[in-house]
């Protein structure tokens, strides 16, 4: 007798009956770049199709995303003013804080997540407080707590620290709890690698470091065990959701975390992953929709419950067209 695995692949109705992994728009988070001002829709060269939006434009964008059934958004702010201490990051009327208010009002169905990091707010572009060329851990964590709290006060549904300082999840948890935000979940960028694939983001968010790099805090791409440990430490510190970033180059880490821990897992398909697919699609070298869907399925198959992806809106629109 021959084993005939092809029997169940014969027709689409059979294939769809035995399909193991699915992606649905509600599992996707659309990253949004927010700028000051009015009527702003600034294209980003290295991320075709993605724009920096001012708060008024965000309103329409958020409504469209909600209407398409996208699960949520994560916000990155580009402040008008940057300084060494990232003071614009925690102002009650800061660029992200105002964006949160706008989106919550315009599209209450969306989960509004804020990225908690200093790199977009420091004049030197580093993720923390710098003294003598060193990024200081504990002083940075203090500022991060203020930032997270200001996002919570603005009405964010979840905060997402992305800085990779030690101890920040525990500190942010304590700060939120003390101020009455015991109910607010933390999505930790728990296994975040020092990756070349963040290139387009730094262009989009004007957050490239003026000197040096991020290797003193982000993970070495070579280190699997350390990456797993980072995430498990964040789970112990009270993270509600763990995240692996970037996504495709680190599916092994995602898979391992799925096996080792019961928290929901997120993966961030980052700007460089988006740019590669877009560039190839624009040249006609890849079929965009099929290639994108394959990457999203792979990320889900490896163990992600949630995917942060610049394709969230496109994917949701494709699903709509099919229905
Ligand atoms: C830090 C942050 C970065 C990204 C998300 N949060 C940049 C970095 O660490 O340099 C990258 C996301 C992407 O590339 O799409 N605030």
């Amino acid at each position: 007798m021959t084993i005939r695995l092809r029997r169940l692949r014969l027709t689409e109705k059979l294939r769809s009956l035995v399909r193991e992994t699915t992606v649905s728009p509600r599992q996707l988070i659309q990253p949004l770049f927010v700028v000051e001002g009015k009527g702003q829709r600034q294209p980003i060269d290295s991320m075709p199709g993605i724009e920096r939006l001012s708060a008024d434009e965000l309103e329409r964008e958020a409504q469209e995303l909600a209407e398409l059934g996208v699960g949520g958004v994560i916000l990155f702010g580009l402040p008008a003013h940057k300084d060494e201490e990232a003071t614009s990051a925690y102002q009650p009327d800061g660029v992200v804080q105002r964006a949160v208010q706008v989106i919550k009002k315009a599209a209450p169905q969306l989960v509004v997540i804020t990225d908690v990091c200093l790199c977009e707010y420091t004049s030197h572009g580093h993720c923390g407080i710098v003294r003598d060329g060193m990024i200081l851990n504990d002083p940075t964590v203090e500022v991060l707590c203020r930032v997270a709290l200001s996002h919570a006060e603005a009405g964010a549904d979840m905060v997402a620290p992305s800085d990779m300082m030690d101890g920040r999840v525990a500190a942010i948890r304590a700060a939120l709890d003390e101020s009455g935000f015991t109910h607010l979940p933390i999505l930790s960028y728990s296994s975040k690698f020092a990756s070349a694939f963040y290139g387009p983001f730094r262009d989009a968010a004007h957050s490239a470091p003026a000197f040096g790099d991020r290797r003193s805090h982000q993970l070495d791409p070579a280190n699997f065990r350390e990456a797993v440990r980072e995430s498990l430490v964040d789970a112990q510190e009270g993270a509600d959701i763990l995240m692996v970033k970037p996504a495709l180059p680190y599916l092994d880490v995602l898979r391992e975390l799925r096996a080792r821990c019961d928290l929901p897992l997120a993966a961030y398909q980052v700007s460089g992953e988006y740019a590669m697919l877009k560039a190839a699609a624009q040249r006609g070298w890849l079929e965009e929709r099929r290639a994108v869907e394959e990457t999203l399925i792979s990320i889900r198959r490896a163990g992600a419950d949630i995917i942060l992806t610049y394709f969230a809106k496109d994917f949701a629109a494709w699903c709509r067209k099919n229905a």
Side-chain angles (χ1 to χ4, degrees):
M1 192 206 57
T2 313
I3 295 178
R4 293 191 185 273
L5 289 167
R6 289 184 57 202
R7 279 185 205 112
L8 294 177
R9 294 182 204 145
L10 197 60
T11 63
E12 176 51 26
K13 60 187 174 189
L14 281 170
R15 291 192 292 271
S16 115
L17 198 64
V18 297
R19 187 159 295 134
E20 299 173 32
T21 311
T22 57
V23 184
S24 122
R26 71 179 170 81
Q27 298 158 329
L28 304 182
I29 304 290
Q30 176 78 46
L32 296 174
F33 298 104
V34 194
V35 292
E36 310 263 12
K38 269 204 154 139
Q40 297 291 317
R41 277 192 171 261
Q42 311 170 350
I44 300 157
D45 283 349
S46 51
M47 301 181 73
I50 304 294
E51 295 166 314
R52 303 184 199 94
L53 306 176
S54 53
D56 53 328
E57 296 289 328
L58 266 183
E59 191 173 322
R60 181 154 52 96
E61 188 68 19
Q63 282 163 349
E64 285 174 16
L65 288 167
E67 147 64 19
L68 285 166
V70 170
V73 294
I74 182 161
L75 304 180
F76 298 96
L78 285 87
H81 165 81
K82 301 187 189 217
D83 57 35
E84 299 236 319
E85 317 289 322
T87 56
S88 299
Y90 49 79
Q91 303 305 324
D93 61 347
V95 64
V96 161
Q97 290 80 357
R98 275 186 290 121
V100 168
Q101 290 162 6
V102 169
I103 297 176
K104 289 298 296 174
K105 201 161 142 211
Q109 310 92 308
L110 294 174
V111 175
V112 178
I113 307 171
T114 54
D115 182 84
V116 176
C117 192
L118 306 188
C119 64
E120 296 123 57
Y121 302 89
T122 52
S123 40
H124 43 65
H126 278 292
C127 306
I129 303 299
V130 177
R131 300 261 186 276
D132 305 324
M134 291 256 295
I135 299 164
L136 303 183
N137 196 88
D138 298 5
T140 299
V141 170
E142 273 176 45
V143 183
L144 292 170
C145 289
R146 293 181 73 164
V147 176
L149 203 52
S150 75
H151 293 171
E153 279 160 359
D157 294 307
M158 203 182 295
V159 292
S162 67
D163 51 282
M164 289 298 281
M165 295 300 122
D166 288 323
R168 95 279 205 206
V169 171
I172 291 173
R173 182 71 272 157
L176 291 174
D177 290 354
E178 269 166 39
S179 300
F181 293 101
T182 51
H183 57 281
L184 203 82
I186 298 175
L187 187 174
S188 176
Y189 285 69
S190 51
S191 297
K192 177 174 177 180
F193 290 86
S195 173
F197 292 100
Y198 307 150
F201 174 96
R202 291 178 190 173
D203 179 24
H206 299 315
S207 65
F211 57 89
D213 54 42
R214 306 216 200 288
R215 287 182 234 204
S216 80
H217 47 290
Q218 298 179 349
L219 285 160
D220 184 334
N223 289 3
F224 170 83
R225 292 193 309 265
E226 187 188 355
V228 172
R229 206 171 157 211
E230 269 284 4
S231 273
L232 297 180
V233 165
D234 282 11
Q236 274 174 3
E237 286 185 29
D240 298 279
I241 303 177
L242 301 176
M243 180 151 75
V244 175
K245 175 185 172 190
L248 271 201
Y250 301 98
L251 294 186
D252 55 336
V253 177
L254 201 55
R255 186 79 204 151
E256 182 74 3
L257 289 175
R258 182 67 300 152
R260 296 267 294 270
C261 143
D262 289 326
L263 290 183
L265 296 179
Y268 197 145
Q269 181 172 52
V270 300
S271 55
E273 299 181 81
Y274 176 83
M276 285 195 296
L277 286 161
K278 272 287 175 190
Q282 285 186 336
R283 284 165 184 70
W285 293 349
L286 281 177
E287 210 182 304
E288 182 173 10
R289 178 171 175 178
R290 283 192 56 210
V292 170
E293 290 183 350
E294 188 172 328
T295 62
L296 297 177
I297 281 281
S298 306
I299 297 165
R300 292 263 306 140
R301 194 189 63 236
D305 300 290
I306 304 163
I307 306 174
L308 286 72
T309 171
Y310 300 93
F311 289 112
K313 189 178 183 185
D314 288 343
F315 178 84
W318 296 332
C319 293
R320 181 61 57 92
K321 238 176 35 198
N322 253 14

